[in-house]
Amino acid sequence: MRRFSVAADTVIQPIKTRLDDFRQQTRVQAGSLIISMFGDAILPRGGRVWLGSLIRLLEPLELNERLVRTSVFRLAKEEWLRTETVGRRADYVLTNSGRRRFEEASRHIYASHAPLWDRRWRLILAVGEFEPKERERLRQALFWQGFGVLGADCFVHPSADLTAAFDALVAEGLSAYLDRLMPLLAADSRSGLSANDADLVRRAWNLDALASAYSEFVATYLPALAELRRDRQAEVGEEDAFLLRTLLIHDYRRLLLRDPELPDVLLPVDWPGQKARLLCKELYRRLVPASERHLDHLLTLADGTNPPCDPSYADRFPQDDPLAAMAL
């Protein structure tokens, strides 16, 4: 297969190391990676791709054709994707619900800063009876939306859209649970006798585990950013830029799925999530030009055309105070 690359002889060792580490994994969640790629690279180009093109894009990560086909088939069964036949070929297209889920995730992934807090807690109370297996499914589904747990029957989040949270439960196949759940918006209390917000955070979330995961993310990707900063003449090959961008967003998205996005006032000092966000933002912006050229060559539809990128997606990771990035 032809490889399109700018400065193909340039090897940036930290990037090669990250890509090689991924290739050496014995077990890859290909469906989750494809979801990340759809949201980051394919949605801006119309949300559709020919399966053969998707296979070619993932081949350099050593995901074989059979694995990609099986994973895409499962995503279609889960109603993330649907097929549209074009002659003897078919495009895989985001369903309406899949597009909504991606767009909701994008608001968190590409945000310029952490969300502001209105000092009110969002609660979901389990007011009906749940079998142990049902309760665990509910807990897992809300965990991946960032909800913490208070006792057995109360789930809490500082800023979630409760309507969107219930829609997500429906998308997860848990619509039968909704009539046993009560969404509430907690009023802000300033009584000296009440538990404070810090107490609630300590009970509801294991921030130590999340902090460790963020620190690992920074340790994984900071060497690549440091090398690009050090050598301003270095050009990342188009294929490598696309592959690293895909893994960067994939790993960051998985972290955000576990992150309740607590406001700064509720987080420990030197919270590594902020460093991870700044790192992801700067490295992503450096990878975009070369990776988009790669997509121009290899992302095709069933009819053979190359869909252009919607210019509105250029606003991802808008610029912040340039001094903030120096904190890395």
Side-chain angles (χ1 to χ4, degrees):
M1 183 183 78
R2 181 184 176 189
R3 298 288 173 84
F4 297 89
S5 181
V6 172
D9 295 331
T10 300
V11 177
I12 299 178
Q13 190 58 45
I15 294 179
K16 181 178 183 301
T17 298
R18 175 65 190 113
L19 297 179
D20 286 346
D21 286 347
F22 180 86
R23 293 172 181 129
Q24 291 167 12
Q25 292 182 108
T26 57
R27 187 177 181 84
V28 176
Q29 294 182 326
S32 180
L33 183 66
I34 290 169
I35 287 173
S36 297
M37 182 184 291
F38 252 93
D40 182 60
I42 298 173
L43 181 60
R45 291 171 179 259
R48 63 171 58 218
V49 65
W50 172 48
L51 180 59
S53 176
L54 184 64
I55 290 168
R56 288 204 305 268
L57 286 166
L58 289 169
E59 181 191 34
L61 289 176
E62 298 187 1
L63 274 66
N64 63 50
E65 179 175 342
R66 180 180 178 183
L67 178 59
V68 174
R69 287 182 180 276
T70 300
S71 300
V72 168
F73 177 74
R74 287 174 179 166
L75 291 173
K77 284 190 67 175
E78 294 167 2
E79 298 185 353
W80 282 91
L81 305 174
R82 59 183 173 83
T83 57
E84 284 190 7
T85 302
V86 181
R88 295 185 177 182
R89 293 179 171 182
D91 285 330
Y92 276 86
V93 186
L94 278 173
T95 62
N96 289 336
S97 63
R99 182 180 289 269
R100 285 196 300 271
R101 283 185 275 183
F102 280 132
E103 290 173 346
E104 176 62 27
S106 294
R107 282 193 283 273
H108 299 286
I109 294 171
Y110 308 104
S112 61
H113 52 74
L116 300 177
W117 190 35
D118 60 6
R119 304 198 66 85
R120 294 187 294 177
W121 291 97
R122 280 69 176 166
L123 307 176
I124 296 178
L125 302 183
V127 297
E129 294 296 326
F130 285 86
E131 297 294 331
K133 288 184 178 180
E134 289 181 323
R135 191 175 295 278
E136 178 59 19
R137 285 192 68 194
L138 177 64
R139 187 194 68 79
Q140 285 284 351
L142 290 175
F143 169 80
W144 288 114
Q145 293 190 55
F147 279 83
V149 181
L150 294 175
D153 299 319
C154 181
F155 303 89
V156 60
H157 195 286
S159 58
D161 181 325
L162 291 172
T163 299
F166 273 51
D167 288 345
L169 292 179
V170 172
E172 293 291 329
L174 304 182
S175 57
Y177 294 8
L178 300 191
D179 62 355
R180 289 173 276 170
L181 299 175
M182 177 181 291
L184 294 173
L185 188 62
D188 185 18
S189 171
R190 287 287 171 256
S191 169
L193 300 176
S194 64
N196 62 39
D197 294 320
D199 293 331
L200 187 152
V201 168
R202 280 193 294 271
R203 289 184 57 194
W205 288 280
N206 181 355
L207 291 184
D208 289 341
L210 185 58
S212 177
Y214 271 126
S215 296
E216 183 178 347
F217 175 87
V218 172
T220 297
Y221 289 100
L222 186 55
L225 177 58
E227 181 65 20
L228 292 175
R229 284 176 167 180
R230 185 189 67 78
D231 186 356
R232 296 181 179 274
Q233 301 304 313
E235 290 188 83
V236 186
E238 292 175 6
E239 180 178 275
D240 283 355
F242 169 73
L243 298 177
L244 187 66
R245 166 183 161 182
T246 298
L247 296 185
L248 175 74
I249 290 299
H250 177 59
D251 289 342
Y252 190 55
R253 180 181 73 88
R254 292 171 67 194
L255 282 172
L256 288 182
L257 286 172
R258 299 165 51 189
D259 191 341
E261 294 189 295
L262 297 171
D264 291 341
V265 295
L266 298 180
L267 290 170
V269 177
D270 296 327
W271 175 245
Q274 172 69 352
K275 183 176 289 188
R277 183 184 68 81
L278 294 173
L279 166 60
C280 184
K281 173 180 178 177
E282 183 178 349
L283 183 54
Y284 184 88
R285 292 179 69 90
R286 288 173 182 264
L287 296 171
V288 160
S291 62
E292 285 297 322
R293 291 194 295 272
H294 186 68
L295 290 167
D296 287 340
H297 294 305
L298 288 187
L299 197 157
T300 59
L301 303 182
D303 64 5
T305 60
N306 302 88
C309 186
D310 185 331
S312 68
Y313 286 89
D315 294 334
R316 283 176 165 177
F317 287 122
Q319 293 283 10
D320 278 339
D321 180 354
L323 295 177
M326 296 178 65
L328 292 169

